[in-house]
Amino acid sequence: MAKKNFKELFDPKESKWGGISLPMFLAALVVVAIMVYVPFGLDKEGNPGSFLRPNFLIMFSALAVFGLLFGEIGDRIPIWDEYVGGGTILVFFVAAVFGTYGLVPEKFMKAVDVFYNKQPVNFLEMFIPALIVGSVLTVDRKTLIKSISGYIPLIIVGVFGASVCGMAVGFIFGKTPQDVMMNYVLPIMGGGTGAGAIPMSEMWSSKTGRPASEWFAFAISILSIANVFAIITGALLKKLGEVKPNLTGNGELIIDNSKEAIRDKEVEVKPELTDTTAAFILTGILLMTAHILGELWSAFAKSHNIDFELHRLVFLILLTMFLNIANVVPDRLKAGAKRMQTFFSKHTIWILMAAVGFTTDVKEIGAALLPSNVLIALAIVFGAVGFIMLVARKMKFYPIEAGITAGLCMANRGGAGDVAVLGAADRMELMSFAQISSRIGGAMMLVFGSVLFSMFAS
């Protein structure tokens, strides 16, 4: 795929603004600016009013225009795109600046808060389940079963190594083990932004009663730092393989090639709109079931003095894994779930990141960029890779390929981070294993995070 460039953005014949041409996008930008900034009439309290009607469609579209403006630019900035996170991270940071320094009216900020994280809208409760169901349900069933017995233990070793090294460096800077685990290891090893840090922030919020953006602001800063280290480490491991050829399979992960390798076979059926609609309905039914189970567990735990909760998203993950392993979901419905997941993960992520950004204090992000945090993030990345490489050969994996997939592809920004890491390591053929790390490994970290937050978050 051709690399994005700035020239195509300003070509009126192209449609590079999220599928919209430049003239149409500029017109949309003007309309949104009028709605947000131009005063009109008086509100119910007698204060200056505006054109803003804060329903779902209007807020979705306004945030989309903001996201497209900075997202398309961010995806074309050299170095920033390759190492920091491109448009997704730029949208978040710019929105945080706008929100922190009052560059948008208070009425708009309140509408964003409801859209993002409060009833009756709460876009998060649509976005997160769609990603979880679409990700877990569309991993090939045989791959999922084999991963549980073979590759997933390697991921667990990486999480253990990340935790040990992170806590060791954290101890030097006066950080408690609980602090390192909840605020450093979880966001870094949690499967990226959309399917990791965002649902974790909701879990943290449900436990503490504080805004999800409070935890997310620090988490996204730490994750961005670790993502840079993961990509650079991928390039270093490539060089190590050239110097020490006995450590690498040159793109092969499993040492015993006589055994069938784990393959992440995607559903190949082309879905119709009815399949995508059915997948969306199935996601809603599974979320209802997960919510019921979560409430029942909460009541059971309370009555038996059990001191931790299991978030409804944990039950959603377990239910989806069960459906996949039991092989009760037709391929067409799985294909529809994949299409649903793609829509949310690729085409609405900037909308969500804009909403999260507006409700985040950018000063907290700046405060996270301390030498201590950088060194802890580095220790977590190196710890994951180092521990995996130490045991990989005994587990019938090549050390370098194991470190890249089960280590670095857990310690990055998810799907986009996987591409960057594998590209830097020149191991794109390992994408199937990278996806298992991001999807199933990330889902495991959500379960782990739910338990940690229930025990230590306050």
Side-chain angles (χ1 to χ4, degrees):
M1 188 173 68
K3 189 173 178 61
K4 294 180 178 180
N5 60 75
F6 279 103
K7 183 179 179 181
E8 64 188 3
L9 275 184
F10 299 101
D11 186 343
K13 296 180 181 179
E14 297 279 357
S15 297
K16 297 297 182 180
W17 295 92
I20 303 173
S21 67
L22 178 62
M24 290 182 65
F25 179 75
L26 291 176
L29 192 60
V30 170
V31 172
V32 171
I34 291 173
M35 184 198 69
V36 173
Y37 289 106
V38 174
F40 181 78
L42 300 175
D43 61 18
K44 293 179 181 179
E45 287 76 31
N47 300 315
S50 71
F51 290 103
L52 178 63
R53 182 177 173 82
N55 60 30
F56 179 87
L57 180 59
I58 287 177
M59 294 307 300
F60 184 93
S61 300
L63 291 168
V65 170
F66 182 94
L68 286 171
L69 175 61
F70 294 102
E72 293 293 358
I73 291 172
D75 272 357
R76 291 166 171 81
I77 300 175
I79 300 176
W80 178 274
D81 178 40
E82 289 86 352
Y83 292 99
V84 179
T88 301
I89 301 301
L90 186 64
V91 169
F92 171 77
F93 281 137
V94 174
V97 170
F98 270 64
T100 302
Y101 295 104
L103 302 181
V104 288
E106 184 64 25
K107 185 176 181 180
F108 181 77
M109 289 288 291
K110 290 180 180 178
V112 169
D113 194 33
V114 173
F115 174 87
Y116 155 58
N117 198 30
K118 290 184 178 177
Q119 302 298 346
V121 181
N122 200 342
F123 185 60
L124 269 182
E125 296 226 341
M126 190 186 306
F127 181 91
I128 295 171
L131 257 63
I132 289 174
V133 173
S135 295
V136 177
L137 196 62
T138 55
V139 173
D140 181 64
R141 174 175 171 268
K142 293 179 180 178
T143 299
L144 182 57
I145 294 171
K146 290 178 181 178
S147 296
I148 292 172
S149 61
Y151 182 67
I152 285 180
L154 195 66
I155 293 176
I156 294 173
V157 170
V159 174
F160 177 75
S163 303
V164 169
C165 293
M167 287 189 289
V169 176
F171 178 78
I172 297 172
F173 294 101
K175 305 285 185 182
T176 65
Q178 299 96 313
D179 183 13
V180 172
M181 291 302 299
M182 289 192 299
N183 299 314
Y184 295 84
V185 175
L186 281 181
I188 290 174
M189 304 295 287
T193 306
I198 290 175
M200 282 181 187
S201 69
E202 185 186 350
M203 290 178 178
W204 181 88
S205 177
S206 68
K207 173 60 180 176
T208 63
R210 283 141 56 192
S213 57
E214 187 177 323
W215 183 87
F216 185 82
F218 185 83
I220 194 66
S221 303
I222 293 299
L223 177 56
S224 298
I225 293 168
N227 188 62
V228 174
F229 288 143
I231 296 168
I232 294 172
T233 305
L236 293 176
L237 288 179
K238 174 189 174 184
K239 295 295 183 183
L240 179 62
E242 295 170 357
V243 176
K244 299 283 187 180
N246 62 311
L247 295 177
T248 180
N250 296 308
E252 290 290 334
L253 174 63
I254 301 174
I255 292 177
D256 186 1
N257 290 319
S258 65
K259 294 182 180 179
E260 184 183 356
I262 299 172
R263 301 292 180 188
D264 185 16
K265 179 185 175 185
E266 293 288 355
V267 177
E268 296 177 354
V269 178
K270 186 176 181 180
E272 302 290 339
L273 282 175
T274 51
D275 302 319
T276 307
T277 304
F280 198 73
I281 295 171
L282 174 63
T283 300
I285 298 299
L286 288 174
L287 183 62
M288 291 181 206
T289 308
H291 177 70
I292 292 169
L293 292 173
E295 291 295 311
L296 291 174
W297 169 261
S298 181
F300 174 81
K302 186 176 181 180
S303 64
H304 289 75
N305 295 318
I306 299 175
D307 197 26
F308 69 87
E309 298 178 8
L310 290 175
H311 195 275
R312 59 182 171 273
L313 293 181
V314 173
F315 288 103
L316 180 62
I317 293 165
L318 296 176
L319 284 169
T320 309
M321 289 183 70
F322 171 77
L323 289 181
N324 194 342
I325 293 172
N327 200 26
V328 296
V329 179
D331 282 349
R332 296 202 67 87
L333 189 50
K334 287 184 178 181
K338 180 64 178 177
R339 189 179 186 183
M340 172 188 68
Q341 180 220 354
T342 301
F343 169 74
F344 280 96
S345 63
K346 291 189 176 180
H347 303 293
T348 71
I349 183 65
W350 289 346
I351 296 170
L352 185 59
M353 293 305 287
V356 176
F358 277 120
T359 58
T360 299
D361 190 341
V362 74
K363 297 172 185 175
E364 294 179 7
I365 301 173
L369 300 177
L370 299 173
S372 59
N373 293 334
V374 172
L375 290 175
I376 294 172
L378 181 63
I380 289 170
V381 174
F382 279 11
V385 173
F387 272 59
I388 286 171
M389 292 182 70
L390 284 174
V391 304
R393 195 171 290 277
K394 292 181 180 179
M395 298 175 71
K396 303 297 183 182
F397 297 108
Y398 286 105
I400 286 178
E401 280 71 17
I404 291 169
T405 53
L408 298 181
C409 290
M410 281 288 288
N412 62 19
R413 287 198 320 109
D418 290 343
V419 173
V421 165
L422 295 181
D426 194 21
R427 298 291 195 280
M428 291 301 292
E429 61 268 37
L430 294 175
M431 181 57 75
S432 59
F433 295 98
Q435 287 296 294
I436 294 171
S437 295
S438 294
R439 296 182 189 185
I440 307 305
M444 289 166 49
M445 292 304 292
L446 287 182
V447 176
F448 185 42
S450 176
V451 175
L452 275 181
F453 289 145
S454 70
M455 296 173 65
F456 301 115
S458 59

